[in-house]
Amino acid sequence: MISARNVSVRLDSRAILDDVSLDVAPGEVLALVGPNGAGKSTLLSVLSGDRKPDSGTVTIDGRDIGGIRHAELARLRAVLTQENTVSFPFRVSEVVAMGRSPWSRTRDSRDDVAVVNDALAVTDVAHLSERRFTTLSGGEKARVSLARVLAQHTPVVFLDEPTAALDLRHQEEVMRVARSMAADGRAVVVVLHDLSLAGAYSDRLALVAHGTLDAIGTPSEVLTAERVERVYGLAVDLHDVGGHPVVVPRR
Amino acid sequence: MVAARSVNTTLRGLTLTLTLAALLLGGIVASAVLGQLPVSPAEVGGSLLRSLGIQNAWAPTDSIVESTLWVVRFPRIAMAMVVGAALAVAGAVMQAIFGNPLAEPGVVGVSSGAALGAAIAIVVGVAALGDSAIALFAFVGGLLATLLVYFVSRANGRTEVVTLLLTGIAVNAFAGAGLAFLLFVADSGSREQIVFWQLGSLNGSRWSEVLIVALVTAIGLVAAVVLARPFDLLALGERNARHLGVNVERLRIVSIVIVALLTGVAVAFVGIIAFVGLVVPHAMRMAIGPAHRPLIIASAVGGAVLLVLSDLLARSVVPGGDLPIGLLTSLIGGPFFFYLLFRQRRQSGGWA
């Protein structure tokens, strides 16, 4: 579905991404993990078509992502960014309904109300729908923004640290939403910092370090104590809980 | 839950529409009736009906009354309406693309840029070519000022209040210096015209001028309403708007041209009338919420109401005198701006 080939991004002659190749398939959750400044967000912005790579190609369904018009691209992929502020006091239901705008004047717009209500329910923000977005807490804003991305209803979904502002329960719920989107046959790419969360909910895990793909594979293949220690510079213990790797720093 | 809200929204919209319609009608009638030559409301109605080809008993028989209405008062009222609508819509569009509710053509210097353009036209003598020449120069001045403010004051797709206001100070200072220089070199006739521009007045509006402003305002209003949905999405930030299919770069350029057109044409004929673009969209947003399609339409009507009422005040508060209308709107707008600044600072805990 999404295919990156030999992608490189340079900033002032420093390589942010260096020759990265990656495929994302429908129905899978791919987690991007790695230390701060490794290039995860840059990789995400290249894959989502926000940023044109200096070399290499990104294709979506075999088409060059840079050649697709804004409006059409918005029906192919949705992006949850880290920054979710709204300039004017729109209501939560209005903000989520904005996710439907790429579908206006298409046949899918008939389902707008149902899709919006469904997104509000799944992300546990239905009780906030009449509130002004600007009055919400950080975690509530993050969930409403996720609802907006959900309402966009695209075959590919990018989530940039969707759990950053969330409490334990909502972290799990957001990842469950990501899983259920994959179960619908959509491709989900999610940037995460919590390796255990990534290990529990992703089908595949891509470990980004120094602008390159250090490893990619199932969570148990990628998350070895030796590799995590080398990439993060921190001694860790790995435990197996119900078949999922759990990473605990050695304290 | 979505259905329940839309009933409430419709009700608020209806209330606002009725209120604005009543205020506008009242303002128009009062403006036509009051003045040095008293005219009865019946005569106003009769004269309007007769102009539509309906003969009636109320129409004034005195030709002085008739010409007072059609040569002096009606064009002035019409000018107040179209200029008010133009400035309020320009403000709403500006706030949308700056992602900042404090953006306003007067505050950030678009109006003074336009005034500088108009003043250059007068002093250089291009104004002799006709009204549209001044309008063109005002538009170019306003466009340059908007572009300058836009590209200087934005960082990462947003505009911080401090940066915006500081940029406005710089642009206003520069345009002020330019105007002062033109005042210095101009002959006394041009000088009077320029002073008039700085204060703003609807005195002496002519139908030919009203027509130009009305035409440009109509174009700007339609364009702004067409772009209402992208403006909504822009409230999510530039990146998010782009992810939702908005061509942000194109939207930006088109919006800047709309703002410059609306402000430029208003300033060209009535001078700088500040704060209309700030006060009106704000009041409308409080009444019906931030969704741009209803907001822009309501702002157009609200701006018309505000200027008709302000102009009525401007020419009746001092007996026999005609206060500059820009003075009055600033008198209301200044404290209101203070209040907004105070509130925004308290809410965000800083100037961001």
Side-chain angles (χ1 to χ4, degrees), chain B residues 231-264:
Chain B
F231 287 150
D232 284 346
L233 302 180
L234 209 53
L236 300 171
E238 270 185 27
R239 261 189 89 193
N240 288 322
R242 205 173 281 127
H243 292 149
L244 286 166
V246 177
N247 187 338
V248 176
E249 287 70 25
R250 200 178 58 193
L251 179 65
R252 220 165 18 200
I253 299 298
V254 173
S255 305
I256 285 174
V257 172
I258 293 175
V259 168
L261 264 178
L262 290 172
T263 314

PDB file of all heavy atoms in Angstrom, chain B residues 231-264:
ATOM      1  N   PHE B 231     -11.425  27.757   5.433  1.00  0.00           N
ATOM      2  CA  PHE B 231     -11.082  28.598   6.583  1.00  0.00           C
ATOM      3  C   PHE B 231     -11.320  27.844   7.891  1.00  0.00           C
ATOM      4  O   PHE B 231     -10.539  27.930   8.834  1.00  0.00           O
ATOM      5  CB  PHE B 231     -11.916  29.894   6.583  1.00  0.00           C
ATOM      6  CG  PHE B 231     -11.511  30.896   5.541  1.00  0.00           C
ATOM      7  CD1 PHE B 231     -12.446  31.758   4.992  1.00  0.00           C
ATOM      8  CD2 PHE B 231     -10.196  30.984   5.117  1.00  0.00           C
ATOM      9  CE1 PHE B 231     -12.078  32.687   4.031  1.00  0.00           C
ATOM     10  CE2 PHE B 231      -9.818  31.902   4.150  1.00  0.00           C
ATOM     11  CZ  PHE B 231     -10.769  32.756   3.613  1.00  0.00           C
ATOM     12  N   ASP B 232     -12.440  27.109   7.950  1.00  0.00           N
ATOM     13  CA  ASP B 232     -12.716  26.295   9.141  1.00  0.00           C
ATOM     14  C   ASP B 232     -11.561  25.336   9.401  1.00  0.00           C
ATOM     15  O   ASP B 232     -11.067  25.206  10.518  1.00  0.00           O
ATOM     16  CB  ASP B 232     -13.999  25.467   8.947  1.00  0.00           C
ATOM     17  CG  ASP B 232     -15.257  26.299   9.075  1.00  0.00           C
ATOM     18  OD1 ASP B 232     -15.167  27.436   9.565  1.00  0.00           O
ATOM     19  OD2 ASP B 232     -16.326  25.797   8.689  1.00  0.00           O
ATOM     20  N   LEU B 233     -11.143  24.634   8.326  1.00  0.00           N
ATOM     21  CA  LEU B 233     -10.103  23.620   8.475  1.00  0.00           C
ATOM     22  C   LEU B 233      -8.771  24.245   8.873  1.00  0.00           C
ATOM     23  O   LEU B 233      -7.981  23.654   9.595  1.00  0.00           O
ATOM     24  CB  LEU B 233      -9.943  22.831   7.175  1.00  0.00           C
ATOM     25  CG  LEU B 233     -11.210  22.127   6.682  1.00  0.00           C
ATOM     26  CD1 LEU B 233     -10.943  21.378   5.389  1.00  0.00           C
ATOM     27  CD2 LEU B 233     -11.732  21.149   7.726  1.00  0.00           C
ATOM     28  N   LEU B 234      -8.548  25.479   8.404  1.00  0.00           N
ATOM     29  CA  LEU B 234      -7.309  26.170   8.724  1.00  0.00           C
ATOM     30  C   LEU B 234      -7.186  26.423  10.232  1.00  0.00           C
ATOM     31  O   LEU B 234      -6.082  26.575  10.756  1.00  0.00           O
ATOM     32  CB  LEU B 234      -7.259  27.498   7.959  1.00  0.00           C
ATOM     33  CG  LEU B 234      -5.882  28.032   7.587  1.00  0.00           C
ATOM     34  CD1 LEU B 234      -5.075  26.992   6.846  1.00  0.00           C
ATOM     35  CD2 LEU B 234      -6.020  29.291   6.744  1.00  0.00           C
ATOM     36  N   ALA B 235      -8.312  26.452  10.934  1.00  0.00           N
ATOM     37  CA  ALA B 235      -8.279  26.640  12.388  1.00  0.00           C
ATOM     38  C   ALA B 235      -7.558  25.487  13.076  1.00  0.00           C
ATOM     39  O   ALA B 235      -7.098  25.620  14.208  1.00  0.00           O
ATOM     40  CB  ALA B 235      -9.700  26.780  12.936  1.00  0.00           C
ATOM     41  N   LEU B 236      -7.436  24.347  12.394  1.00  0.00           N
ATOM     42  CA  LEU B 236      -6.735  23.196  12.971  1.00  0.00           C
ATOM     43  C   LEU B 236      -5.223  23.345  12.846  1.00  0.00           C
ATOM     44  O   LEU B 236      -4.477  22.492  13.319  1.00  0.00           O
ATOM     45  CB  LEU B 236      -7.156  21.905  12.258  1.00  0.00           C
ATOM     46  CG  LEU B 236      -8.629  21.531  12.307  1.00  0.00           C
ATOM     47  CD1 LEU B 236      -8.895  20.370  11.373  1.00  0.00           C
ATOM     48  CD2 LEU B 236      -9.029  21.152  13.720  1.00  0.00           C
ATOM     49  N   GLY B 237      -4.759  24.393  12.193  1.00  0.00           N
ATOM     50  CA  GLY B 237      -3.340  24.555  11.913  1.00  0.00           C
ATOM     51  C   GLY B 237      -3.083  24.203  10.458  1.00  0.00           C
ATOM     52  O   GLY B 237      -3.858  23.467   9.846  1.00  0.00           O
ATOM     53  N   GLU B 238      -1.993  24.750   9.913  1.00  0.00           N
ATOM     54  CA  GLU B 238      -1.732  24.568   8.478  1.00  0.00           C
ATOM     55  C   GLU B 238      -1.508  23.120   8.095  1.00  0.00           C
ATOM     56  O   GLU B 238      -2.018  22.647   7.084  1.00  0.00           O
ATOM     57  CB  GLU B 238      -0.507  25.388   8.075  1.00  0.00           C
ATOM     58  CG  GLU B 238      -0.870  26.768   7.632  1.00  0.00           C
ATOM     59  CD  GLU B 238       0.327  27.528   7.135  1.00  0.00           C
ATOM     60  OE1 GLU B 238       1.293  26.909   6.664  1.00  0.00           O
ATOM     61  OE2 GLU B 238       0.295  28.765   7.236  1.00  0.00           O
ATOM     62  N   ARG B 239      -0.739  22.402   8.904  1.00  0.00           N
ATOM     63  CA  ARG B 239      -0.435  21.010   8.557  1.00  0.00           C
ATOM     64  C   ARG B 239      -1.696  20.178   8.531  1.00  0.00           C
ATOM     65  O   ARG B 239      -1.936  19.413   7.605  1.00  0.00           O
ATOM     66  CB  ARG B 239       0.545  20.415   9.569  1.00  0.00           C
ATOM     67  CG  ARG B 239       1.983  20.416   9.100  1.00  0.00           C
ATOM     68  CD  ARG B 239       2.850  19.622  10.051  1.00  0.00           C
ATOM     69  NE  ARG B 239       2.905  18.218   9.692  1.00  0.00           N
ATOM     70  CZ  ARG B 239       3.392  17.284  10.503  1.00  0.00           C
ATOM     71  NH1 ARG B 239       3.822  17.599  11.707  1.00  0.00           N
ATOM     72  NH2 ARG B 239       3.437  16.026  10.114  1.00  0.00           N
ATOM     73  N   ASN B 240      -2.500  20.319   9.583  1.00  0.00           N
ATOM     74  CA  ASN B 240      -3.726  19.528   9.647  1.00  0.00           C
ATOM     75  C   ASN B 240      -4.680  19.882   8.516  1.00  0.00           C
ATOM     76  O   ASN B 240      -5.346  19.008   7.964  1.00  0.00           O
ATOM     77  CB  ASN B 240      -4.406  19.718  11.005  1.00  0.00           C
ATOM     78  CG  ASN B 240      -3.634  19.019  12.113  1.00  0.00           C
ATOM     79  OD1 ASN B 240      -3.106  17.931  11.916  1.00  0.00           O
ATOM     80  ND2 ASN B 240      -3.558  19.653  13.268  1.00  0.00           N
ATOM     81  N   ALA B 241      -4.729  21.177   8.183  1.00  0.00           N
ATOM     82  CA  ALA B 241      -5.590  21.594   7.068  1.00  0.00           C
ATOM     83  C   ALA B 241      -5.124  20.932   5.778  1.00  0.00           C
ATOM     84  O   ALA B 241      -5.927  20.451   4.984  1.00  0.00           O
ATOM     85  CB  ALA B 241      -5.567  23.114   6.932  1.00  0.00           C
ATOM     86  N   ARG B 242      -3.804  20.881   5.594  1.00  0.00           N
ATOM     87  CA  ARG B 242      -3.254  20.249   4.396  1.00  0.00           C
ATOM     88  C   ARG B 242      -3.605  18.763   4.369  1.00  0.00           C
ATOM     89  O   ARG B 242      -3.971  18.212   3.340  1.00  0.00           O
ATOM     90  CB  ARG B 242      -1.741  20.455   4.366  1.00  0.00           C
ATOM     91  CG  ARG B 242      -1.161  20.410   2.973  1.00  0.00           C
ATOM     92  CD  ARG B 242       0.311  20.786   2.988  1.00  0.00           C
ATOM     93  NE  ARG B 242       0.533  22.210   3.062  1.00  0.00           N
ATOM     94  CZ  ARG B 242       1.304  22.806   3.981  1.00  0.00           C
ATOM     95  NH1 ARG B 242       1.900  22.090   4.909  1.00  0.00           N
ATOM     96  NH2 ARG B 242       1.454  24.099   3.971  1.00  0.00           N
ATOM     97  N   HIS B 243      -3.530  18.120   5.527  1.00  0.00           N
ATOM     98  CA  HIS B 243      -3.885  16.697   5.600  1.00  0.00           C
ATOM     99  C   HIS B 243      -5.346  16.454   5.255  1.00  0.00           C
ATOM    100  O   HIS B 243      -5.728  15.356   4.873  1.00  0.00           O
ATOM    101  CB  HIS B 243      -3.609  16.150   7.005  1.00  0.00           C
ATOM    102  CG  HIS B 243      -2.155  16.094   7.326  1.00  0.00           C
ATOM    103  ND1 HIS B 243      -1.683  16.259   8.610  1.00  0.00           N
ATOM    104  CD2 HIS B 243      -1.086  15.909   6.546  1.00  0.00           C
ATOM    105  CE1 HIS B 243      -0.361  16.173   8.582  1.00  0.00           C
ATOM    106  NE2 HIS B 243       0.020  15.957   7.349  1.00  0.00           N
ATOM    107  N   LEU B 244      -6.162  17.494   5.425  1.00  0.00           N
ATOM    108  CA  LEU B 244      -7.579  17.358   5.096  1.00  0.00           C
ATOM    109  C   LEU B 244      -7.870  17.846   3.681  1.00  0.00           C
ATOM    110  O   LEU B 244      -9.018  18.062   3.318  1.00  0.00           O
ATOM    111  CB  LEU B 244      -8.425  18.122   6.120  1.00  0.00           C
ATOM    112  CG  LEU B 244      -8.519  17.420   7.483  1.00  0.00           C
ATOM    113  CD1 LEU B 244      -9.055  18.357   8.556  1.00  0.00           C
ATOM    114  CD2 LEU B 244      -9.397  16.186   7.380  1.00  0.00           C
ATOM    115  N   GLY B 245      -6.817  18.028   2.899  1.00  0.00           N
ATOM    116  CA  GLY B 245      -7.014  18.306   1.479  1.00  0.00           C
ATOM    117  C   GLY B 245      -7.028  19.775   1.098  1.00  0.00           C
ATOM    118  O   GLY B 245      -7.338  20.109  -0.037  1.00  0.00           O
ATOM    119  N   VAL B 246      -6.694  20.682   2.030  1.00  0.00           N
ATOM    120  CA  VAL B 246      -6.697  22.106   1.694  1.00  0.00           C
ATOM    121  C   VAL B 246      -5.374  22.479   1.024  1.00  0.00           C
ATOM    122  O   VAL B 246      -4.309  22.129   1.531  1.00  0.00           O
ATOM    123  CB  VAL B 246      -6.887  22.969   2.963  1.00  0.00           C
ATOM    124  CG1 VAL B 246      -6.820  24.450   2.615  1.00  0.00           C
ATOM    125  CG2 VAL B 246      -8.192  22.640   3.636  1.00  0.00           C
ATOM    126  N   ASN B 247      -5.454  23.158  -0.098  1.00  0.00           N
ATOM    127  CA  ASN B 247      -4.252  23.685  -0.732  1.00  0.00           C
ATOM    128  C   ASN B 247      -3.922  25.008  -0.035  1.00  0.00           C
ATOM    129  O   ASN B 247      -4.363  26.082  -0.435  1.00  0.00           O
ATOM    130  CB  ASN B 247      -4.494  23.899  -2.214  1.00  0.00           C
ATOM    131  CG  ASN B 247      -3.230  24.287  -2.961  1.00  0.00           C
ATOM    132  OD1 ASN B 247      -2.279  24.779  -2.354  1.00  0.00           O
ATOM    133  ND2 ASN B 247      -3.214  24.071  -4.257  1.00  0.00           N
ATOM    134  N   VAL B 248      -3.139  24.893   1.059  1.00  0.00           N
ATOM    135  CA  VAL B 248      -2.949  26.037   1.955  1.00  0.00           C
ATOM    136  C   VAL B 248      -2.294  27.219   1.248  1.00  0.00           C
ATOM    137  O   VAL B 248      -2.705  28.365   1.439  1.00  0.00           O
ATOM    138  CB  VAL B 248      -2.120  25.615   3.191  1.00  0.00           C
ATOM    139  CG1 VAL B 248      -1.835  26.808   4.074  1.00  0.00           C
ATOM    140  CG2 VAL B 248      -2.858  24.554   3.977  1.00  0.00           C
ATOM    141  N   GLU B 249      -1.293  26.938   0.403  1.00  0.00           N
ATOM    142  CA  GLU B 249      -0.585  28.029  -0.272  1.00  0.00           C
ATOM    143  C   GLU B 249      -1.532  28.850  -1.149  1.00  0.00           C
ATOM    144  O   GLU B 249      -1.514  30.072  -1.129  1.00  0.00           O
ATOM    145  CB  GLU B 249       0.556  27.481  -1.139  1.00  0.00           C
ATOM    146  CG  GLU B 249       1.755  26.981  -0.350  1.00  0.00           C
ATOM    147  CD  GLU B 249       1.480  25.701   0.416  1.00  0.00           C
ATOM    148  OE1 GLU B 249       0.573  24.942  -0.004  1.00  0.00           O
ATOM    149  OE2 GLU B 249       2.132  25.440   1.441  1.00  0.00           O
ATOM    150  N   ARG B 250      -2.370  28.132  -1.902  1.00  0.00           N
ATOM    151  CA  ARG B 250      -3.295  28.839  -2.782  1.00  0.00           C
ATOM    152  C   ARG B 250      -4.327  29.622  -1.971  1.00  0.00           C
ATOM    153  O   ARG B 250      -4.636  30.773  -2.272  1.00  0.00           O
ATOM    154  CB  ARG B 250      -3.987  27.849  -3.720  1.00  0.00           C
ATOM    155  CG  ARG B 250      -4.586  28.504  -4.946  1.00  0.00           C
ATOM    156  CD  ARG B 250      -5.212  27.494  -5.877  1.00  0.00           C
ATOM    157  NE  ARG B 250      -6.247  26.732  -5.184  1.00  0.00           N
ATOM    158  CZ  ARG B 250      -6.794  25.623  -5.658  1.00  0.00           C
ATOM    159  NH1 ARG B 250      -6.383  25.122  -6.795  1.00  0.00           N
ATOM    160  NH2 ARG B 250      -7.733  24.991  -4.989  1.00  0.00           N
ATOM    161  N   LEU B 251      -4.837  28.990  -0.909  1.00  0.00           N
ATOM    162  CA  LEU B 251      -5.823  29.646  -0.050  1.00  0.00           C
ATOM    163  C   LEU B 251      -5.268  30.950   0.517  1.00  0.00           C
ATOM    164  O   LEU B 251      -5.949  31.977   0.559  1.00  0.00           O
ATOM    165  CB  LEU B 251      -6.212  28.703   1.099  1.00  0.00           C
ATOM    166  CG  LEU B 251      -7.224  29.239   2.103  1.00  0.00           C
ATOM    167  CD1 LEU B 251      -8.568  29.471   1.445  1.00  0.00           C
ATOM    168  CD2 LEU B 251      -7.371  28.292   3.283  1.00  0.00           C
ATOM    169  N   ARG B 252      -3.994  30.877   0.930  1.00  0.00           N
ATOM    170  CA  ARG B 252      -3.322  32.030   1.494  1.00  0.00           C
ATOM    171  C   ARG B 252      -3.288  33.195   0.519  1.00  0.00           C
ATOM    172  O   ARG B 252      -3.693  34.312   0.848  1.00  0.00           O
ATOM    173  CB  ARG B 252      -1.884  31.597   1.778  1.00  0.00           C
ATOM    174  CG  ARG B 252      -1.373  32.125   3.041  1.00  0.00           C
ATOM    175  CD  ARG B 252      -0.161  31.514   3.567  1.00  0.00           C
ATOM    176  NE  ARG B 252       0.714  30.724   2.759  1.00  0.00           N
ATOM    177  CZ  ARG B 252       1.564  29.868   3.311  1.00  0.00           C
ATOM    178  NH1 ARG B 252       1.581  29.695   4.603  1.00  0.00           N
ATOM    179  NH2 ARG B 252       2.377  29.191   2.565  1.00  0.00           N
ATOM    180  N   ILE B 253      -2.820  32.928  -0.695  1.00  0.00           N
ATOM    181  CA  ILE B 253      -2.680  33.990  -1.696  1.00  0.00           C
ATOM    182  C   ILE B 253      -4.044  34.594  -2.035  1.00  0.00           C
ATOM    183  O   ILE B 253      -4.224  35.813  -2.043  1.00  0.00           O
ATOM    184  CB  ILE B 253      -2.020  33.439  -2.986  1.00  0.00           C
ATOM    185  CG1 ILE B 253      -0.611  32.909  -2.674  1.00  0.00           C
ATOM    186  CG2 ILE B 253      -1.960  34.508  -4.068  1.00  0.00           C
ATOM    187  CD1 ILE B 253       0.343  33.939  -2.158  1.00  0.00           C
ATOM    188  N   VAL B 254      -5.027  33.728  -2.281  1.00  0.00           N
ATOM    189  CA  VAL B 254      -6.356  34.215  -2.638  1.00  0.00           C
ATOM    190  C   VAL B 254      -6.916  35.081  -1.507  1.00  0.00           C
ATOM    191  O   VAL B 254      -7.476  36.153  -1.731  1.00  0.00           O
ATOM    192  CB  VAL B 254      -7.314  33.036  -2.945  1.00  0.00           C
ATOM    193  CG1 VAL B 254      -8.736  33.532  -3.149  1.00  0.00           C
ATOM    194  CG2 VAL B 254      -6.851  32.285  -4.180  1.00  0.00           C
ATOM    195  N   SER B 255      -6.723  34.638  -0.260  1.00  0.00           N
ATOM    196  CA  SER B 255      -7.266  35.375   0.882  1.00  0.00           C
ATOM    197  C   SER B 255      -6.610  36.738   1.031  1.00  0.00           C
ATOM    198  O   SER B 255      -7.275  37.729   1.345  1.00  0.00           O
ATOM    199  CB  SER B 255      -7.064  34.577   2.170  1.00  0.00           C
ATOM    200  OG  SER B 255      -7.611  33.302   2.040  1.00  0.00           O
ATOM    201  N   ILE B 256      -5.292  36.775   0.810  1.00  0.00           N
ATOM    202  CA  ILE B 256      -4.590  38.050   0.919  1.00  0.00           C
ATOM    203  C   ILE B 256      -5.130  39.037  -0.111  1.00  0.00           C
ATOM    204  O   ILE B 256      -5.350  40.219   0.184  1.00  0.00           O
ATOM    205  CB  ILE B 256      -3.065  37.841   0.751  1.00  0.00           C
ATOM    206  CG1 ILE B 256      -2.506  37.207   2.027  1.00  0.00           C
ATOM    207  CG2 ILE B 256      -2.361  39.151   0.457  1.00  0.00           C
ATOM    208  CD1 ILE B 256      -1.060  36.821   1.935  1.00  0.00           C
ATOM    209  N   VAL B 257      -5.384  38.537  -1.318  1.00  0.00           N
ATOM    210  CA  VAL B 257      -5.938  39.410  -2.359  1.00  0.00           C
ATOM    211  C   VAL B 257      -7.337  39.899  -1.957  1.00  0.00           C
ATOM    212  O   VAL B 257      -7.672  41.068  -2.130  1.00  0.00           O
ATOM    213  CB  VAL B 257      -5.969  38.691  -3.731  1.00  0.00           C
ATOM    214  CG1 VAL B 257      -6.718  39.519  -4.756  1.00  0.00           C
ATOM    215  CG2 VAL B 257      -4.553  38.418  -4.203  1.00  0.00           C
ATOM    216  N   ILE B 258      -8.144  39.000  -1.377  1.00  0.00           N
ATOM    217  CA  ILE B 258      -9.490  39.400  -0.933  1.00  0.00           C
ATOM    218  C   ILE B 258      -9.400  40.508   0.113  1.00  0.00           C
ATOM    219  O   ILE B 258     -10.088  41.533   0.019  1.00  0.00           O
ATOM    220  CB  ILE B 258     -10.260  38.191  -0.333  1.00  0.00           C
ATOM    221  CG1 ILE B 258     -10.552  37.155  -1.418  1.00  0.00           C
ATOM    222  CG2 ILE B 258     -11.574  38.654   0.308  1.00  0.00           C
ATOM    223  CD1 ILE B 258     -11.191  35.893  -0.877  1.00  0.00           C
ATOM    224  N   VAL B 259      -8.524  40.305   1.110  1.00  0.00           N
ATOM    225  CA  VAL B 259      -8.386  41.297   2.184  1.00  0.00           C
ATOM    226  C   VAL B 259      -7.950  42.639   1.608  1.00  0.00           C
ATOM    227  O   VAL B 259      -8.513  43.692   1.937  1.00  0.00           O
ATOM    228  CB  VAL B 259      -7.368  40.819   3.253  1.00  0.00           C
ATOM    229  CG1 VAL B 259      -7.013  41.954   4.204  1.00  0.00           C
ATOM    230  CG2 VAL B 259      -7.933  39.646   4.028  1.00  0.00           C
ATOM    231  N   ALA B 260      -6.953  42.604   0.714  1.00  0.00           N
ATOM    232  CA  ALA B 260      -6.438  43.851   0.145  1.00  0.00           C
ATOM    233  C   ALA B 260      -7.492  44.544  -0.706  1.00  0.00           C
ATOM    234  O   ALA B 260      -7.631  45.766  -0.663  1.00  0.00           O
ATOM    235  CB  ALA B 260      -5.183  43.569  -0.673  1.00  0.00           C
ATOM    236  N   LEU B 261      -8.264  43.756  -1.469  1.00  0.00           N
ATOM    237  CA  LEU B 261      -9.328  44.327  -2.296  1.00  0.00           C
ATOM    238  C   LEU B 261     -10.364  45.033  -1.434  1.00  0.00           C
ATOM    239  O   LEU B 261     -10.711  46.191  -1.671  1.00  0.00           O
ATOM    240  CB  LEU B 261     -10.042  43.218  -3.074  1.00  0.00           C
ATOM    241  CG  LEU B 261      -9.616  42.922  -4.508  1.00  0.00           C
ATOM    242  CD1 LEU B 261     -10.421  41.758  -5.048  1.00  0.00           C
ATOM    243  CD2 LEU B 261      -9.825  44.150  -5.379  1.00  0.00           C
ATOM    244  N   LEU B 262     -10.864  44.309  -0.415  1.00  0.00           N
ATOM    245  CA  LEU B 262     -11.933  44.852   0.424  1.00  0.00           C
ATOM    246  C   LEU B 262     -11.456  46.082   1.196  1.00  0.00           C
ATOM    247  O   LEU B 262     -12.125  47.115   1.213  1.00  0.00           O
ATOM    248  CB  LEU B 262     -12.423  43.779   1.404  1.00  0.00           C
ATOM    249  CG  LEU B 262     -13.198  42.617   0.777  1.00  0.00           C
ATOM    250  CD1 LEU B 262     -13.472  41.526   1.810  1.00  0.00           C
ATOM    251  CD2 LEU B 262     -14.509  43.119   0.198  1.00  0.00           C
ATOM    252  N   THR B 263     -10.276  45.964   1.810  1.00  0.00           N
ATOM    253  CA  THR B 263      -9.771  47.091   2.581  1.00  0.00           C
ATOM    254  C   THR B 263      -9.424  48.252   1.671  1.00  0.00           C
ATOM    255  O   THR B 263      -9.758  49.407   1.951  1.00  0.00           O
ATOM    256  CB  THR B 263      -8.521  46.680   3.370  1.00  0.00           C
ATOM    257  OG1 THR B 263      -8.767  45.426   4.006  1.00  0.00           O
ATOM    258  CG2 THR B 263      -8.179  47.706   4.425  1.00  0.00           C
ATOM    259  N   GLY B 264      -8.744  47.938   0.570  1.00  0.00           N
ATOM    260  CA  GLY B 264      -8.292  48.984  -0.335  1.00  0.00           C
ATOM    261  C   GLY B 264      -9.437  49.814  -0.881  1.00  0.00           C
ATOM    262  O   GLY B 264      -9.393  51.039  -0.852  1.00  0.00           O
TER     263      GLY B 264
END
